[in-house]
Amino acid sequence: MEKLQRFGYPVFFAVMAVLPHLLNPRWQAVAITFLIFAVVALSQDIVLGKCGMFNMGQALFFGLGAYATAILNSKFGWPMLATIPVAILVPALFGILLAGPIVHLRGDYLLVTTIGFNIVFVQVLQNDLGGLTGGPNGIFGLDAMNLFGLRLASQVSVYYFAFAVLLFTLWLMHNLETSKAGRALHYLREDQLAAESIGINARVYKIFAFGLSAGIAGLAGTVYATQYSAVSPEAFDFIQSVLFFSIVIVGGSSVPGVLLGVFVMFVLPEIFREFATWRFFIFGFAMILAMILRPRGIWPAKFGRIPAYLVKESKHGA
Amino acid sequence: MDIFLQQLANGLTIGSMFALVALGYTMVYGVMRLINFAHGDLVAASAFVGLTIYTQVMGQATSLAAVIAIFLLTAGVMACVGVLLERLAYRPLRTAPRLSAVVSALGASLVIQNGVMLIWGPQMRIFPELVPQVYYTFGGVVISLMQVIILVLSLVLMIALYLFVEKTRMGAAIRAASIDQDAARLMGINVNQIIVLIFVIGSSLGAVGGLFIGLYYRGITFNMGWQYGLYAFIAAIIGGIGNIPGAMLGGMLLGLFNAFIAGYVSSTWADAFTFILLIVILIVRPTGILGERVAEKV
C-alpha cells in the first residue's frame, strides 16, 4: 500500500486539479462538497483517529466557523476574507473551552457529551440566540469571497479555494504526523498510562488536539458558507457529526482512508440519487459489511515514526 | 401548584417510557460495552409493527384480550429482530476494535430506520386508540387512564426485571457476564446465550416502550427512533450505564426534568437543557449517579 500511496498522491492531486473543467455544474457542486467534507473529516481524524478520543460533535465546530463567517459578513459587513481568521479562532477557542472539563471522560461518555454539545449548539441556532443566527432559516445572501481583487463568484473558483484549503489541511496533517505533538497523540492513543509515565501531559495534548481539530473544521465552515452563500442549522445537525465519525472509522483513520471514506459516504450516494428511497437502507448494510470485512477500516493507519519497541499489539482496539 | 402536580404526573409517564427503553441500552452496554445505536430505531419500528398487528392480525379489535395480544406479539417480533441484529451486525465484530462495532450499530440503525420507511412509508401514521379515553381529576390535576396504565405496567415490568436479574440463576449469569466475560466463560456460563437473552429482554421491553410512545403521542414517524433512543440512552447514562436500577432512576429523573422544563421554562429549549443537565452530571460524576468507579483496564 505504501507504493500505491507514493503514486497515488500525485495522481490524486493532478486529477483534482483539472477535475472541475471535466464536470457539469451539478457535479462541480458535488466535488466542492467532497473537498469541504474531506477537510472536516480530516480534522475529525485528529481527535478521533490520531488521539483515540470518541468525538461525535465535529459538526459543531464546522458550524461555528460557517456561522462566524456568515454573521460577521451579513450583520457587521466584514469582507468574507477578513472573517477567515475569526472562523478559525472562534471554533478553536470553543474546542479548547469545551474540551477542558470533559477530556478525562471515558470513551463512550465523551461520545455522548460531544453529541450533547452539538445538539445544544443546533438549538441555540434554531432559537436565534441574541438575534444573530437567523433562527431555523439561517442566514443567506452572503457576499462572494474576494481574494485580493479576485472575486470567487463562479463555482470553479470556489472549487479551487476549497482545493487550496484541502491541500493546506493535508500539509498540516503531514506535519502533525511527523511532529512531537503528533507522536505524543499516538502514544496517548496506544496507551495513556505508559504515555503519561514517560512524561507526556495527557490533558494538554488532548485539549490541543481538540483545539486544532476545531480550528480546521471552522475553516471548512467558511468554505461551506462561501459555496452556498448561506448557512442554516440543519447542515450542522449531530447526524452530520455521526456521518463524519463513521467516515473516519470506515476509512481507517489514515489520510487516503479518510478521503476514500468521504468519497464512499458522500459522493457514491449522489451517484445513486435515483434510488433515493433505497439509498440509506443499502448504505446502512454497506456500513455493517465494511466493518465486518475490514474491522480496522478500508485503509488502516500505519504508525508513523513510533519506535518499534513501543508499538505493541493493541488488545482492546481503538 | 396545579401546574407542578400536572407536570409531575406527565413527567412520571414520559419517564417510565424512557426507563423501559433505557433498560435495553443499559443491559447491552453492561455485557458488551457497546452503545446499541439501533435500539432507538427498534423502538420506533415496534410502534409500526404494533400498528400492523392491530389492523392486519387483530382486525382492529380493541378488547382487553386483543390489546394484550398486540403487546405480546409485538414484543415477540421485536425480540426476533433484536436477536437477528445481534447475530448479523454485532457478533462478527466481537473481537474487532470497539469503534468498528459502534459504526456497525450506526449502520444497523440506518437499515432499520429506512426499512421502516420502505415498508410503511415516510409520512406520519396515526396510532390506534387502544385504551378508552377516560380521565380522572384529582384536585385540578387531570390524569388519563392511559397514563395510569403506562406507569403501572412499566413499574411492574421493571420490578420483574429487577427480581429476575437479582434473584434467579440466569440473572446471576447476566451479572457475571457483565463484570467479566472471560471469567464468566471459565465458570461454565454460555456468554453467547447470555447476549442473546439480553437482546431478547431489551428488545421486548423496547417494544413495550415503543407501543407506549405510540399510544401516548399518537403520531408515529419512521425517523422518531433517534430522538427517543437518544433520550433513553441519556437516561441510562445519567443513572450509570450498565446498572439496571440506575436506568430506571435515570429515566424517571429525565422524564420529570423534561416535563418541568417544558412546563416552566420553554419547550423549544427542552433538548438543550436536557443535554446541559447530562453534561453537568457527567462532569461532576463521570460514571453517572449510580455508576461505580471503573478502573481503566490496562
Side-chain angles (χ1 to χ4, degrees):
Chain A
M1 276 202 166
E2 238 155 58
K3 257 188 197 156
L4 195 60
Q5 218 157 321
R6 199 165 300 152
F7 288 111
Y9 277 123
V11 171
F12 172 74
F13 292 139
V15 169
M16 291 311 278
V18 294
L19 193 64
H21 302 290
L22 307 173
L23 299 174
N24 64 20
R26 180 171 114 72
W27 285 99
Q28 279 175 356
V30 172
I32 297 173
T33 309
F34 167 80
L35 291 170
I36 296 172
F37 285 167
V39 173
V40 184
L42 286 169
S43 75
Q44 165 91 326
D45 183 44
I46 295 175
V47 173
L48 180 63
K50 301 272 171 292
C51 200
M53 289 189 286
F54 296 11
N55 167 23
M56 216 186 246
Q58 198 65 5
L60 156 65
F61 304 117
F62 181 39
L64 265 177
Y67 265 88
T69 294
I71 290 171
L72 287 176
N73 180 259
S74 69
K75 312 267 165 173
F76 299 99
W78 288 35
M80 291 291 272
L81 189 64
T83 66
I84 291 180
V86 182
I88 295 172
L89 284 177
V90 167
L93 203 65
F94 263 87
I96 291 167
L97 284 178
L98 294 181
I102 61 164
V103 284
H104 66 283
L105 289 178
R106 290 201 305 141
D108 298 305
Y109 293 88
L110 183 64
L111 187 148
V112 175
T113 312
T114 50
I115 293 183
F117 283 143
N118 201 333
I119 288 178
V120 173
F121 172 65
V122 170
Q123 283 227 315
V124 167
L125 296 181
Q126 278 172 343
N127 286 311
D128 201 4
L129 191 74
L132 283 173
T133 68
N137 297 325
I139 303 171
F140 38 87
L142 306 179
D143 294 339
M145 185 76 70
N146 203 333
L147 273 182
F148 312 109
L150 187 73
R151 261 175 72 82
L152 301 188
S154 76
Q155 198 150 236
V156 175
S157 55
V158 175
Y159 176 92
Y160 283 113
F161 175 48
F163 188 40
V165 169
L166 176 68
L167 289 179
F168 171 71
T169 309
L170 287 173
W171 174 76
L172 260 181
M173 297 289 289
H174 179 76
N175 274 4
L176 179 69
E177 215 150 290
T178 50
S179 72
K180 184 182 158 203
R183 286 201 304 278
L185 296 183
H186 264 324
Y187 293 137
L188 279 176
R189 172 202 154 123
E190 286 305 296
D191 194 333
Q192 179 166 346
L193 208 62
E196 280 179 320
S197 68
I198 57 170
I200 291 170
N201 188 333
R203 213 179 148 71
V204 166
Y205 277 107
K206 282 179 164 182
I207 293 175
F208 160 77
F210 257 100
L212 179 65
S213 143
I216 298 173
L219 177 60
T222 299
V223 186
Y224 182 90
T226 313
Q227 188 199 357
Y228 291 100
S229 74
V231 290
S232 62
E234 67 264 30
F236 312 109
D237 203 356
F238 85 97
I239 302 289
Q240 284 291 336
S241 296
V242 170
L243 277 172
F244 289 127
F245 181 90
S246 309
I247 284 172
V248 173
I249 305 301
V250 169
S253 103
S254 62
V255 169
V258 170
L259 293 176
L260 264 173
V262 179
F263 183 79
V264 171
M265 308 281 262
F266 282 108
V267 182
L268 280 190
E270 282 300 320
I271 297 173
F272 294 113
R273 182 144 279 217
E274 50 205 290
F275 308 107
T277 49
W278 282 86
R279 203 152 51 126
F280 287 106
F281 185 71
I282 294 168
F283 197 56
F285 266 117
M287 269 163 82
I288 300 173
L289 205 65
M291 293 309 4
I292 291 174
L293 295 178
R294 292 193 69 83
R296 294 190 173 273
I298 303 176
W299 195 310
K302 291 256 174 51
F303 297 106
R305 290 168 47 178
I306 296 181
Y309 64 91
L310 278 172
V311 182
K312 59 165 203 259
E313 198 52 43
S314 167
K315 277 192 206 99
H316 19 264
Chain B
M1 196 60 195
D2 283 356
I3 301 183
F4 178 81
L5 290 175
Q6 186 68 56
Q7 293 302 338
L8 186 73
N10 294 348
L12 287 175
T13 316
I14 311 170
S16 53
M17 294 192 274
F18 286 157
L20 279 180
V21 182
L23 286 168
Y25 278 109
T26 220
M27 290 176 73
V28 169
Y29 193 92
V31 175
M32 297 172 74
R33 298 284 178 271
L34 164 74
I35 306 176
N36 179 12
F37 277 110
H39 189 61
D41 295 293
L42 279 185
V43 169
S46 55
F48 284 88
V49 170
L51 176 70
T52 300
I53 291 175
Y54 166 74
T55 52
Q56 305 296 323
V57 183
M58 292 297 141
Q60 314 211 345
T62 51
S63 63
L64 183 62
V67 173
I68 292 175
I70 290 174
F71 270 82
L72 290 179
L73 280 174
T74 308
V77 171
M78 293 329 284
C80 296
V81 177
V83 172
L84 205 67
L85 171 74
E86 191 270 329
R87 181 58 62 86
L88 296 181
Y90 302 146
R91 189 169 294 186
L93 286 166
R94 225 173 269 165
T95 53
R98 287 193 51 205
L99 285 177
S100 316
V102 172
V103 170
S104 183
L106 292 169
S109 155
L110 275 180
V111 169
I112 296 171
Q113 190 183 105
N114 288 279
V116 169
M117 188 195 74
L118 288 168
I119 299 174
W120 285 282
Q123 67 281 22
M124 180 187 267
R125 302 290 286 268
I126 301 299
F127 203 79
E129 213 165 72
L130 295 177
V131 177
Q133 288 206 1
V134 180
Y135 294 95
Y136 308 100
T137 317
F138 301 103
V141 182
V142 182
I143 297 171
S144 67
L145 176 63
M146 176 95 64
Q147 284 180 304
V148 176
I149 291 177
I150 290 177
L151 252 176
V152 171
L153 197 55
S154 306
L155 280 177
V156 168
L157 284 173
M158 286 189 259
I159 291 168
L161 178 70
Y162 182 75
L163 291 177
F164 173 74
V165 172
E166 291 295 323
K167 303 287 179 203
T168 63
R169 273 176 68 86
M170 251 338 203
I174 293 179
R175 280 180 287 140
S178 78
I179 294 168
D180 189 334
Q181 279 193 25
D182 290 328
R185 204 170 280 126
L186 287 176
M187 293 296 115
I189 293 169
N190 185 340
V191 174
N192 275 340
Q193 233 171 48
I194 296 296
I195 289 175
V196 169
L197 179 70
I198 58 173
F199 269 89
V200 167
I201 297 175
S203 306
S204 323
L205 291 175
V208 176
L211 292 175
F212 282 164
I213 287 169
L215 285 168
Y216 190 69
Y217 292 106
R218 303 301 305 281
I220 51 176
T221 54
F222 76 98
N223 56 5
M224 67 181 188
W226 261 92
Q227 198 194 338
Y228 293 112
L230 208 55
Y231 264 89
F233 183 65
I234 291 167
I237 285 200
I238 288 177
I241 196 156
N243 181 317
I244 289 172
M248 302 172 192
L249 178 74
M252 288 297 180
L253 278 180
L254 194 64
L256 286 173
F257 182 77
N258 232 22
F260 284 123
I261 290 290
Y264 284 104
V265 187
S266 126
S267 55
T268 52
W269 283 98
D271 276 359
F273 279 106
T274 307
F275 278 96
I276 292 169
L277 171 79
L278 168 82
I279 292 161
V280 170
I281 287 181
L282 284 184
I283 289 173
V284 179
R285 276 194 68 90
T287 49
I289 296 172
L290 296 186
E292 304 123 59
R293 279 197 64 84
V294 188
E296 200 66 61
K297 282 181 203 163
V298 183

